[in-house]
Amino acid sequence: MEQKMLQILQNCKSIRELKQTHLQIFIHGLQDSNFVLPKLISLSSTFHSLDYAVQIFENSHHRNVFVYNTMIECFIGRNCRKDAFHIFNRMNASSIASNSFTITFLLRSCESFEALKDGNQIHTHTVKSGFGSSVFVQNTLLDFYSKCSGNIDSACRVFEEMLERDVISWNSMIGAYMARGETESAIHLFDSMPEKNVVSWNSIITGLSKAGNMESAHLVFQRMTKRNEVSWNAMISGYMRKGDVINARSIFDEMPEKSVVSWTAMITGYANIGDLTSASDLFNRMPIKNVVSWNAMIAGYVHNHLFDQALCVFHHMLINGECRPNEATLISILCACSHLGNLENGKWIDSYIKKNKIELSISLGNALVDMLAKCGDVENAKAVFHRMTRRNIITWTTMVSGLAMNGQCGEALALFDTMCREGIEPDDVIFISVLSACNHGGLVEEGRRVFDQMRREFNIKPRIEHYGCMVDLLGRAGKLEEAVKFITSMPLEPNAVIWATLLGSCKTYRNEELLELVTRMILDQEPSNPGYLMQISNLNASVGRWEDALSIRAAMKQEGIEKVPGCSSIQIRNRVHEFIARDTRHAQRKKIYGTLDSLHEHLRVVGDVPSNATVVYEP
């Protein structure tokens, strides 16, 4: 009957079937069977019913080491390390002798520095229980100290005290040295090994590759009599990290059987150096693609600001249908939509997330909020923000910035205050967003309060960007003298950016005396910056100082200084429209410039543009 029940348990497909079988086990009096009980507990946990597993454990009367081990393993499988150690302590209190599996289960649950104390407890128990001579247990101890200890001393001590070592022992120690960048010690140990396997060789190659020592890695690679996929991929990745595509491609071409990982590593490497032609060529030649391959190609285009091509690859991915987009795919595409102003595709991603019940993680939620806000759909951005069950400081910063860039500056400031009331510690980055919101909204007093709050309440030392926001805020409000005093009282040396912040205010409030001071300070620090030179020239022209304006332009021409024209793009339906300053190539340019003239006239009427403003075109 015991074998029959085990067979029925093995065939259970749900917690409901398991409970029905559990009843049959009770009827036949097998609830404390040394074979049935551990299986029953294990399956309960497998069906995501840890509480039921605990209930079965607590109601059992004859628990042996196998039952305790099963319960410990269930807790560890659900990341409940403290509960696992509680069961272990109860086991000891019940005088049930642990075995090597008990020790290894618990040690493998300790994977961080915080778990070091628990691991030390198990080490002490290991010595007292006589498991110190077990290679299996000692190897697990070695692995534990390699991961959790702040230094390598404890791992070295375990290794040196081992009465017997196998190849796993040596490999673990080499891996520990490599993980801490101690390549010389790792190589010395590697050379001392009585027997090496492919893992030993790969540990050295991977460590040297990650350290950027490709010359040594290549020498080790050449000495290998047997290589596997890890060996080849470690070399390809190492060369690609150094930007050495020639050697990486040579290894790739030499590789007898190329895996998806190998192809993807090459595509990522080409994309990182901006060679999208080679990346695309390899991508199209791949015999089998997985979601990581598609993501590498999409992310490569996004990284190189080829956002329309990223969307094109994404659409092909959907049409292909072999790989479903994952979180990384969606984040890359949302980034592309943000830069293109492509709200239509961005909202489709939002619908896709809802339809497929994809968890709105912090990273995905942040990307979605950012995209919606940058595309002007601030109401939906707020809806996503409130839909997120978990938020971090980046989430709040993104929402504050989104509100500010869409003109809802007061609401941005209120959201920041709400964040502070909820006990979330702000960082220096969110203060830049909040000060920018005050800047855009002309909220001078609020800006002063926030700047003071940053220093006094949160002890955040202002960076040059924070000072720049305050200078801009004061300048836009016409408080030019206060702005200059603020600059001169800064504990940091004001750079050209700080002074250039006042240039626009000099024009708006027609302060020629300040214009001279600002111009002098900028030219002292960055005399060859084409952006600043052009701005100063235009401002001089706007206040009627044509001689100074022409003088600057003549000097620029003589020195061969040219301003790189500004460029922007937006996607409408399936077409990306790109615009360069003073562009005359667009088919609808007359209509576009007509609309701009109309807007300029409207701003003049409402008083946002001085009536005597002079427009100076770039050469």
Side-chain angles (χ1 to χ4, degrees):
M1 181 55 69
E2 195 173 55
Q3 286 298 319
K4 184 179 179 181
M5 282 299 156
L6 283 170
Q7 185 64 43
I8 295 171
L9 277 172
Q10 191 67 41
N11 293 328
C12 287
K13 298 290 188 291
S14 66
I15 190 66
R16 184 170 174 273
E17 289 182 14
L18 184 73
K19 287 180 178 180
Q20 290 173 347
T21 307
H22 190 187
L23 179 60
Q24 293 297 315
I25 289 169
F26 260 110
I27 291 170
H28 290 91
L30 296 171
Q31 63 271 21
D32 286 317
S33 163
N34 289 339
F35 298 101
V36 174
L37 182 58
K39 187 68 175 176
L40 190 59
I41 292 170
S42 178
L43 279 173
S44 298
S45 178
T46 302
F47 291 131
H48 304 290
S49 184
L50 189 57
D51 290 340
Y52 193 63
V54 172
Q55 185 183 335
I56 295 168
F57 175 81
E58 295 295 349
N59 289 330
S60 59
H61 301 293
H62 303 288
R63 305 178 193 125
N64 60 13
V65 65
F66 302 110
V67 175
Y68 274 103
N69 282 354
T70 303
M71 198 66 245
I72 287 169
E73 193 176 11
C74 288
F75 276 125
I76 289 169
R78 299 292 289 275
N79 294 317
C80 302
R81 181 169 52 83
K82 288 186 178 180
D83 292 311
F85 272 84
H86 175 67
I87 294 294
F88 171 67
N89 291 331
R90 284 177 59 182
M91 180 182 176
N92 289 335
S94 301
S95 299
I96 304 292
S98 58
N99 60 19
S100 59
F101 290 102
T102 318
I103 293 167
T104 54
F105 286 155
L106 290 167
L107 281 173
R108 284 171 181 164
S109 72
C110 302
E111 295 185 340
S112 64
F113 182 75
E114 289 74 21
L116 188 59
K117 186 178 178 182
D118 289 335
N120 286 335
Q121 177 194 343
I122 298 300
H123 190 176
T124 302
H125 177 80
T126 301
V127 175
K128 288 180 179 178
S129 304
F131 289 108
S133 59
S134 167
V135 177
F136 178 58
V137 172
Q138 292 295 90
N139 284 344
T140 311
L141 267 172
L142 197 58
D143 183 61
F144 156 70
Y145 281 119
S146 298
K147 290 177 181 175
C148 302
S149 184
N151 55 54
I152 205 168
D153 295 344
S154 297
C156 286
R157 199 156 44 245
V158 171
F159 183 77
E160 288 164 4
E161 290 173 359
M162 289 178 74
L163 300 175
E164 181 186 349
R165 300 170 187 147
D166 60 13
V167 70
I168 296 171
S169 318
W170 289 86
N171 289 345
S172 296
M173 202 63 225
I174 289 169
Y177 277 124
M178 280 299 190
R180 288 164 174 79
E182 298 184 29
T183 53
E184 288 185 15
S185 298
I187 291 170
H188 175 73
L189 202 63
F190 174 77
D191 292 335
S192 305
M193 283 184 76
E195 181 186 351
K196 303 176 181 69
N197 62 10
V198 70
V199 176
S200 319
W201 290 91
N202 286 344
S203 295
I204 294 295
I205 289 172
T206 302
L208 290 169
S209 297
K210 286 181 178 177
N213 189 350
M214 292 309 299
E215 188 176 342
S216 297
H218 188 74
L219 289 173
V220 175
F221 182 75
Q222 293 291 78
R223 285 167 55 198
M224 289 183 74
T225 55
K226 184 181 178 182
R227 300 164 182 157
N228 63 9
E229 184 187 330
V230 176
S231 322
W232 293 91
N233 289 341
M235 292 300 295
I236 290 169
S237 299
Y239 278 125
M240 278 302 192
R241 268 192 296 270
K242 294 197 75 174
D244 186 353
V245 292
I246 295 173
N247 276 314
R249 186 59 185 262
S250 174
I251 294 287
F252 177 77
D253 291 338
E254 189 184 340
M255 194 173 179
E257 291 183 20
K258 300 170 179 62
S259 66
V260 175
V261 176
S262 317
W263 288 89
T264 305
M266 287 298 302
I267 290 165
T268 303
Y270 276 125
N272 286 341
I273 63 166
D275 187 355
L276 274 303
T277 302
S278 297
S280 179
D281 176 61
L282 281 180
F283 181 76
N284 292 330
R285 286 168 49 200
M286 282 185 75
I288 299 173
K289 300 180 180 76
N290 63 12
V291 68
V292 181
S293 318
W294 288 95
N295 289 349
M297 199 65 241
I298 291 168
Y301 280 126
V302 171
H303 177 72
N304 287 278
H305 304 283
L306 299 169
F307 306 111
D308 52 335
Q309 284 95 323
L311 284 174
C312 184
V313 173
F314 176 63
H315 291 149
H316 285 150
M317 180 184 186
L318 296 174
I319 293 166
N320 178 273
E322 290 181 5
C323 301
R324 293 185 64 185
N326 63 9
E327 182 179 308
T329 323
L330 300 177
I331 289 172
S332 289
I333 292 303
L334 286 170
C335 178
C337 292
S338 297
H339 283 87
L340 290 170
N342 190 332
L343 182 60
E344 185 180 349
N345 268 326
K347 291 179 83 168
W348 185 91
I349 297 294
D350 191 16
S351 299
Y352 182 88
I353 291 167
K354 293 174 183 174
K355 183 180 177 182
N356 291 276
K357 296 179 181 178
I358 297 171
E359 182 191 358
L360 200 61
S361 67
I362 291 177
S363 298
L364 185 57
N366 290 351
L368 191 53
V369 170
D370 184 59
M371 181 279 301
L372 290 166
K374 284 180 178 174
C375 290
D377 191 354
V378 71
E379 292 306 315
N380 272 320
K382 286 191 279 188
V384 173
F385 176 83
H386 292 299
R387 204 168 90 211
M388 292 174 69
T389 55
R390 292 177 298 138
R391 306 183 188 113
N392 60 9
I393 190 65
I394 298 172
T395 317
W396 291 89
T397 305
T398 303
M399 195 65 246
V400 168
S401 298
L403 289 166
M405 74 173 66
N406 284 280
Q408 298 184 21
C409 302
E411 194 171 342
L413 194 59
L415 184 67
F416 172 73
D417 291 336
T418 299
M419 185 193 89
C420 293
R421 283 196 302 272
E422 290 185 10
I424 297 163
E425 191 78 14
D427 62 6
D428 59 338
V429 178
I430 196 168
F431 273 105
I432 294 173
S433 296
V434 179
L435 288 171
S436 296
C438 295
N439 195 340
H440 290 306
L443 308 173
V444 178
E445 290 306 317
E446 289 84 348
R448 290 192 182 111
R449 173 181 68 81
V450 169
F451 189 79
D452 191 57
Q453 181 185 20
M454 175 177 66
R455 294 181 298 169
R456 295 178 185 274
E457 187 177 339
F458 296 104
N459 296 315
I460 294 174
K461 190 176 180 180
R463 294 191 280 118
I464 196 77
E465 292 86 354
H466 300 104
Y467 287 109
C469 287
M470 284 303 297
V471 171
D472 198 21
L473 175 61
L474 295 169
R476 286 172 183 265
K479 301 179 182 297
L480 301 181
E481 289 185 12
E482 185 180 346
V484 173
K485 286 180 182 177
F486 184 85
I487 292 172
T488 54
S489 66
M490 283 170 52
L492 303 174
E493 183 69 27
N495 58 18
V497 178
I498 291 288
W499 288 108
T501 303
L502 285 178
L503 281 174
S505 301
C506 292
K507 175 184 175 181
T508 303
Y509 296 99
R510 304 190 67 76
N511 190 322
E512 295 186 36
E513 185 180 340
L514 182 59
L515 177 59
E516 283 186 19
L517 170 66
V518 170
T519 299
R520 189 166 62 251
M521 299 305 294
I522 292 171
L523 293 179
D524 282 348
Q525 294 186 24
E526 294 196 30
S528 301
N529 187 305
Y532 293 150
L533 291 172
M534 189 61 67
Q535 198 175 353
I536 292 167
S537 174
N538 286 345
L539 285 172
N540 277 303
S542 71
V543 296
R545 298 170 60 166
W546 292 100
E547 188 175 333
D548 290 338
L550 293 172
S551 172
I552 290 171
R553 287 171 181 270
M556 286 178 67
K557 194 170 185 179
Q558 185 175 349
E559 295 293 327
I561 300 172
E562 292 185 12
K563 182 179 180 293
V564 177
C567 178
S568 62
S569 62
I570 186 169
Q571 181 165 357
I572 300 173
R573 296 185 179 89
N574 294 323
R575 185 183 169 193
V576 175
H577 298 262
E578 189 173 73
F579 301 94
I580 298 173
R582 314 312 311 162
D583 197 354
T584 59
R585 295 173 301 168
H586 199 280
Q588 294 176 283
R589 61 186 177 278
K590 289 184 179 178
K591 188 181 290 186
I592 293 167
Y593 285 123
T595 303
L596 287 173
D597 288 340
S598 176
L599 288 170
H600 188 269
E601 185 59 32
H602 176 71
L603 289 172
R604 190 193 299 277
V605 170
V606 298
D608 274 13
V609 177
S611 58
N612 59 346
T614 305
V615 179
V616 180
Y617 296 105
E618 296 180 12

